[in-house]
Amino acid sequence: MMETDPQMAALLARARQFLAMIPLGQALAFRLDQIGGGRAVISMPWDERLIGDPRTGVIHGGAISALMDTCCGAAAISHPEGPEMTATLDLRIDYMRPAAARQRITATAEVFRMTRSVAFLRATACDEQEGQPVATATAAFTVDFPKEDRT
């Protein structure tokens, strides 16, 4: 277990740096909950400023989209093959239902295939009602590996 601690510390540092580079994520108060092995979990609190429908208090879909996009990027950089950077190529989100008002929204993303230049991911966003996704996504992200790893 001790052997992975320096690796996990390096991954956490990279993930925090990745999140710090995204001003929208800072504005939306994204919180890194888990990361590693091509999987990431990032959440955001309910915030009155993000309400899309004042009658219901439901958070705007754009905030959920930003959360899922960021979570997919974090999952890509946490893949064991170690890409340094990533960028969104394609992100398709299907909104399943409105998020419940006043509940934290959590996105989970996982790489299901990694090539030399593209990571393919799946993601879900849920509020505090477990087992009932607010949205699902499929994504493709560019990946940039360290120069010494390229052949």
Side-chain angles (χ1 to χ4, degrees):
M1 189 66 87
M2 294 298 275
E3 295 173 355
T4 60
D5 287 348
Q7 290 174 337
M8 183 53 73
L11 176 58
L12 285 172
R14 273 190 22 231
R16 287 185 180 121
Q17 180 182 15
F18 173 77
L19 288 176
M21 291 173 25
I22 305 168
L24 182 59
Q26 293 173 3
L28 298 177
F30 289 172
R31 179 181 78 192
L32 179 64
D33 295 322
Q34 295 177 16
I35 193 156
R39 183 176 184 276
V41 179
I42 298 176
S43 62
M44 104 182 141
W46 182 88
D47 186 323
E48 189 174 285
R49 298 173 302 147
L50 306 177
I51 292 174
D53 183 348
R55 292 173 295 130
T56 63
V58 171
I59 288 185
H60 190 279
I64 295 168
S65 175
L67 175 66
M68 294 182 83
D69 184 39
T70 302
C71 192
C72 284
I77 66 163
S78 80
H79 192 272
E81 291 182 24
E84 286 184 338
M85 292 300 294
T86 189
T88 310
L89 284 172
D90 183 54
L91 178 67
R92 177 197 159 89
I93 298 177
D94 291 311
Y95 292 94
M96 314 301 278
R97 65 177 180 84
R102 302 194 181 280
Q103 291 188 7
R104 176 172 283 281
I105 298 175
T106 302
T108 303
E110 190 163 8
V111 175
F112 67 87
R113 174 134 165 72
M114 177 71 76
T115 71
R116 290 181 7 200
S117 58
V118 179
F120 297 92
L121 302 102
R122 292 186 185 107
T124 59
C126 297
D127 55 20
E128 296 169 18
Q129 298 174 33
E130 291 187 34
Q132 297 180 13
V134 169
T136 61
T138 56
F141 276 63
T142 62
V143 287
D144 188 17
F145 291 95
K147 289 184 179 9
E148 63 270 8
D149 289 349
R150 293 185 187 169
T151 55

